[in-house]
Amino acid sequence: LGLAANAAGIQVVMVPVGIKATSTEEEKKTLAQVSKDYEKKLSDAGIRVLLDDDNSVSPGWKFNQWEMKGVPLRIELGPMDISKGQFMMAKRNVLDPKEKVVGKHESIVEDVKRTLQEIHDQLYSKSLAERDNRMASIDKWEDFSPNLNAGKMVLVPFCGEPECEEWIKEKSKEEAQEVEVAGGLKMGAKSLCVPHEVKYQKKCVQCIFPGCQHYDQLRMTLFGRSY
């Protein structure tokens, strides 16, 4: 699971690390104090943060636990980090451990906010690219079902009339019965939305339903299967 920072109940989880059997009590005390200080600074800045200082489980167990919960950003802080005036950040949407981001003690709030925004932008860009890759803009009915059966949404000229949508639903269902369909589901298509973005709008001449006689309310409309 990977949640967008704006939607996550917990945006940042802090996990103290680097405590060994040979660590001194002073190192343990300092780590605990700095961790709480970080938590307070982030919380005061409006960031939804949780400090996981449960010593009954290992840091690795915590990493896995919070990744499964989809927390967007993990802060790792240990004695060596404190001595350098820094901390490490791991983005949930980036799986490569080598891609961790270094933050500085004196700019923790700014660094964390910037990284949360980067996560948001990266997730949004990825989702947008995937959506655009799964969208086909067509004008003729013979192109409708092949694209729909390939798992795509189809942007088509449509009059908005119920009888035309019912025909599209039944015809697309019929044309899916004898072919292989991405996802395996063969129900008919239905209208999903009318995109407002200018780039998706163009002059419509004829409804995608070949027999349609309505010409005054044509809009480019997104059709697809609901799974």
Side-chain angles (χ1 to χ4, degrees), residues 119-156:
I119 293 171
H120 171 86
D121 293 343
Q122 290 164 354
L123 288 174
Y124 181 77
S125 296
K126 180 181 178 181
S127 298
L128 196 61
E130 183 173 345
R131 185 206 64 180
D132 289 345
N133 189 50
R134 291 178 175 271
M135 183 188 299
S137 180
I138 61 175
D139 298 307
K140 299 179 181 178
W141 176 258
E142 53 262 35
D143 298 323
F144 188 100
S145 289
N147 280 284
L148 184 72
N149 294 336
K152 294 184 177 182
M153 299 179 290
V154 287
L155 187 65
V156 301

Coordinates of all heavy atoms in Angstrom, one line a residue, residues 119-156:
I119 N 6.8 13.4 -3.1 CA 6.1 12.2 -3.1 C 4.7 12.4 -3.8 O 4.3 11.6 -4.7 CB 5.9 11.6 -1.7 CG1 7.2 11.2 -1.1 CG2 4.9 10.4 -1.7 CD1 7.1 10.8 0.3
H120 N 4.0 13.4 -3.5 CA 2.7 13.8 -4.1 C 2.9 13.9 -5.6 O 2.1 13.4 -6.4 CB 2.2 15.0 -3.5 CG 1.0 15.6 -4.2 ND1 -0.3 15.1 -3.9 CD2 0.8 16.5 -5.2 CE1 -1.2 15.7 -4.7 NE2 -0.5 16.6 -5.5
D121 N 3.9 14.7 -6.0 CA 4.1 15.0 -7.4 C 4.5 13.7 -8.2 O 4.0 13.5 -9.3 CB 5.2 16.0 -7.6 CG 4.8 17.4 -7.0 OD1 3.6 17.6 -6.8 OD2 5.7 18.2 -6.8
Q122 N 5.3 12.9 -7.6 CA 5.7 11.7 -8.3 C 4.5 10.7 -8.4 O 4.3 10.1 -9.5 CB 6.8 11.0 -7.5 CG 8.1 11.7 -7.5 CD 9.1 11.3 -6.5 OE1 8.8 10.5 -5.6 NE2 10.3 11.8 -6.6
L123 N 3.7 10.5 -7.4 CA 2.5 9.7 -7.5 C 1.5 10.2 -8.5 O 1.0 9.4 -9.3 CB 1.9 9.5 -6.1 CG 2.6 8.7 -5.0 CD1 1.9 8.8 -3.7 CD2 2.8 7.2 -5.5
Y124 N 1.3 11.5 -8.5 CA 0.4 12.1 -9.4 C 0.8 11.9 -10.8 O 0.0 11.5 -11.7 CB 0.2 13.6 -9.1 CG -0.8 14.3 -10.0 CD1 -2.2 14.1 -9.8 CD2 -0.4 15.1 -11.0 CE1 -3.1 14.7 -10.6 CE2 -1.3 15.7 -11.9 CZ -2.6 15.5 -11.7 OH -3.6 16.1 -12.5
S125 N 2.1 12.2 -11.1 CA 2.6 12.1 -12.4 C 2.5 10.6 -12.9 O 2.2 10.4 -14.1 CB 4.1 12.6 -12.5 OG 4.2 13.9 -12.2
K126 N 2.8 9.7 -12.0 CA 2.7 8.3 -12.4 C 1.3 7.9 -12.7 O 1.0 7.2 -13.7 CB 3.3 7.4 -11.3 CG 3.2 5.9 -11.6 CD 3.8 5.1 -10.4 CE 3.7 3.6 -10.7 NZ 4.2 2.8 -9.5
S127 N 0.4 8.3 -11.9 CA -1.0 8.0 -12.1 C -1.6 8.6 -13.4 O -2.3 8.0 -14.2 CB -1.9 8.4 -10.9 OG -1.5 7.8 -9.8
L128 N -1.2 9.9 -13.6 CA -1.6 10.6 -14.8 C -1.1 9.9 -16.1 O -1.8 9.7 -17.1 CB -1.1 12.0 -14.8 CG -1.8 13.0 -15.7 CD1 -3.3 13.1 -15.4 CD2 -1.2 14.4 -15.6
A129 N 0.2 9.5 -16.1 CA 0.7 8.8 -17.2 C 0.1 7.5 -17.5 O -0.2 7.1 -18.6 CB 2.2 8.6 -17.0
E130 N -0.3 6.8 -16.4 CA -0.9 5.5 -16.6 C -2.3 5.7 -17.1 O -2.8 4.9 -18.0 CB -1.0 4.7 -15.2 CG -1.6 3.4 -15.3 CD -1.5 2.6 -14.1 OE1 -0.7 3.0 -13.2 OE2 -2.3 1.6 -13.9
R131 N -3.0 6.7 -16.6 CA -4.4 7.0 -17.1 C -4.3 7.3 -18.6 O -5.1 6.8 -19.4 CB -5.0 8.1 -16.3 CG -6.5 8.4 -16.8 CD -6.9 9.8 -16.5 NE -6.1 10.8 -17.3 CZ -6.3 12.1 -17.2 NH1 -7.2 12.6 -16.4 NH2 -5.5 12.9 -18.0
D132 N -3.4 8.2 -19.0 CA -3.3 8.7 -20.4 C -3.0 7.5 -21.3 O -3.4 7.4 -22.4 CB -2.3 9.8 -20.5 CG -2.8 11.1 -19.9 OD1 -4.0 11.2 -19.6 OD2 -1.9 12.0 -19.7
N133 N -2.2 6.6 -20.8 CA -1.8 5.4 -21.6 C -3.0 4.4 -21.8 O -3.0 3.6 -22.7 CB -0.6 4.7 -20.8 CG -0.1 3.6 -21.7 OD1 0.3 3.8 -22.9 ND2 0.0 2.4 -21.1
R134 N -4.0 4.6 -20.9 CA -5.1 3.7 -21.0 C -6.4 4.4 -21.5 O -7.5 4.0 -21.2 CB -5.4 3.1 -19.6 CG -4.4 2.1 -19.1 CD -4.7 1.6 -17.7 NE -3.8 0.6 -17.3 CZ -4.0 -0.7 -17.5 NH1 -5.0 -1.1 -18.2 NH2 -3.1 -1.6 -17.1
M135 N -6.1 5.5 -22.2 CA -7.2 6.3 -22.8 C -7.1 6.4 -24.3 O -6.0 6.7 -24.8 CB -7.3 7.7 -22.2 CG -8.5 8.5 -22.7 SD -8.4 10.2 -22.1 CE -8.4 10.0 -20.3
A136 N -8.1 6.1 -25.0 CA -8.1 6.3 -26.5 C -9.2 7.2 -26.9 O -10.3 7.1 -26.5 CB -8.3 4.9 -27.1
S137 N -8.8 8.1 -27.8 CA -9.8 9.1 -28.3 C -10.2 8.6 -29.7 O -9.4 8.5 -30.6 CB -9.2 10.5 -28.4 OG -10.1 11.4 -28.9
I138 N -11.5 8.3 -29.9 CA -12.0 7.8 -31.2 C -13.2 8.5 -31.6 O -14.0 9.1 -30.9 CB -12.2 6.2 -31.0 CG1 -13.3 6.0 -30.0 CG2 -11.0 5.5 -30.7 CD1 -13.7 4.5 -29.9
D139 N -13.5 8.3 -32.9 CA -14.7 9.0 -33.5 C -15.7 8.0 -34.2 O -16.8 8.3 -34.5 CB -14.3 10.0 -34.6 CG -13.5 11.1 -34.0 OD1 -13.9 11.7 -33.1 OD2 -12.4 11.4 -34.5
K140 N -15.2 6.7 -34.4 CA -16.0 5.7 -35.2 C -16.3 4.5 -34.3 O -15.4 4.1 -33.5 CB -15.3 5.3 -36.4 CG -15.0 6.5 -37.4 CD -14.3 6.0 -38.6 CE -14.0 7.1 -39.6 NZ -13.2 6.6 -40.8
W141 N -17.5 4.0 -34.4 CA -17.9 2.9 -33.6 C -17.0 1.6 -33.8 O -16.7 0.9 -32.8 CB -19.3 2.4 -33.8 CG -19.7 1.2 -33.0 CD1 -19.7 -0.1 -33.4 CD2 -19.8 1.2 -31.6 NE1 -20.0 -0.9 -32.4 CE2 -20.1 -0.1 -31.2 CE3 -19.9 2.2 -30.6 CZ2 -20.3 -0.5 -29.9 CZ3 -20.1 1.8 -29.3 CH2 -20.3 0.5 -29.0
E142 N -16.5 1.4 -35.0 CA -15.6 0.2 -35.2 C -14.4 0.2 -34.4 O -13.7 -0.8 -34.2 CB -15.3 0.0 -36.7 CG -14.7 1.2 -37.3 CD -15.7 2.1 -38.1 OE1 -16.8 2.2 -37.6 OE2 -15.3 2.6 -39.1
D143 N -14.0 1.4 -33.8 CA -12.8 1.5 -33.0 C -13.1 1.4 -31.5 O -12.2 1.3 -30.7 CB -12.0 2.8 -33.2 CG -11.5 2.9 -34.7 OD1 -11.1 1.9 -35.2 OD2 -11.6 4.0 -35.2
F144 N -14.4 1.4 -31.2 CA -14.8 1.5 -29.8 C -14.5 0.2 -29.0 O -13.8 0.2 -28.1 CB -16.3 1.8 -29.7 CG -16.9 2.1 -28.3 CD1 -17.1 3.4 -27.9 CD2 -17.2 1.0 -27.4 CE1 -17.6 3.6 -26.6 CE2 -17.7 1.3 -26.2 CZ -17.8 2.6 -25.8
S145 N -15.1 -0.9 -29.5 CA -14.9 -2.2 -28.7 C -13.5 -2.7 -28.7 O -13.1 -3.2 -27.7 CB -15.9 -3.2 -29.3 OG -17.2 -2.9 -29.0
P146 N -12.7 -2.6 -29.8 CA -11.3 -3.1 -29.7 C -10.5 -2.4 -28.6 O -9.8 -3.0 -27.9 CB -10.8 -2.8 -31.1 CG -12.0 -2.9 -32.0 CD -13.1 -2.3 -31.2
N147 N -10.7 -1.1 -28.5 CA -10.0 -0.3 -27.5 C -10.5 -0.7 -26.1 O -9.8 -0.8 -25.1 CB -10.1 1.2 -27.7 CG -9.1 1.6 -28.8 OD1 -7.9 1.8 -28.5 ND2 -9.6 1.9 -30.0
L148 N -11.9 -0.8 -26.0 CA -12.5 -1.1 -24.7 C -12.0 -2.5 -24.2 O -11.7 -2.7 -23.1 CB -14.0 -1.1 -24.8 CG -14.8 -1.3 -23.6 CD1 -14.7 -0.1 -22.6 CD2 -16.3 -1.6 -23.9
N149 N -12.0 -3.4 -25.2 CA -11.6 -4.8 -24.8 C -10.1 -4.9 -24.5 O -9.7 -5.9 -23.9 CB -12.0 -5.7 -26.0 CG -13.5 -5.9 -26.1 OD1 -14.2 -5.6 -25.2 ND2 -13.9 -6.2 -27.3
A150 N -9.3 -3.9 -24.9 CA -7.9 -3.9 -24.6 C -7.7 -3.3 -23.2 O -6.5 -3.1 -22.8 CB -7.2 -3.1 -25.6
G151 N -8.8 -3.0 -22.5 CA -8.6 -2.5 -21.1 C -8.6 -1.0 -21.0 O -8.2 -0.4 -20.0
K152 N -8.9 -0.3 -22.1 CA -8.8 1.2 -22.1 C -10.1 1.9 -21.9 O -11.2 1.3 -22.1 CB -8.2 1.7 -23.5 CG -6.8 1.2 -23.8 CD -6.3 1.8 -25.1 CE -4.8 1.4 -25.3 NZ -4.3 2.0 -26.5
M153 N -10.1 3.1 -21.5 CA -11.2 4.0 -21.5 C -11.2 4.6 -22.9 O -10.2 4.9 -23.5 CB -11.1 5.0 -20.4 CG -11.1 4.5 -19.0 SD -11.0 5.8 -17.7 CE -9.3 6.3 -18.0
V154 N -12.4 5.0 -23.3 CA -12.5 5.6 -24.7 C -13.2 6.9 -24.6 O -14.3 7.1 -23.9 CB -13.3 4.6 -25.7 CG1 -12.4 3.5 -26.0 CG2 -14.6 4.1 -25.1
L155 N -12.6 7.9 -25.2 CA -13.2 9.3 -25.2 C -13.9 9.4 -26.6 O -13.2 9.3 -27.6 CB -12.0 10.3 -25.1 CG -12.5 11.7 -24.9 CD1 -13.2 12.0 -23.6 CD2 -11.2 12.6 -24.9
V156 N -15.2 9.6 -26.5 CA -16.0 9.6 -27.8 C -16.9 10.7 -27.8 O -17.4 11.3 -26.8 CB -16.7 8.2 -27.9 CG1 -15.8 7.1 -27.9 CG2 -17.8 8.1 -26.8

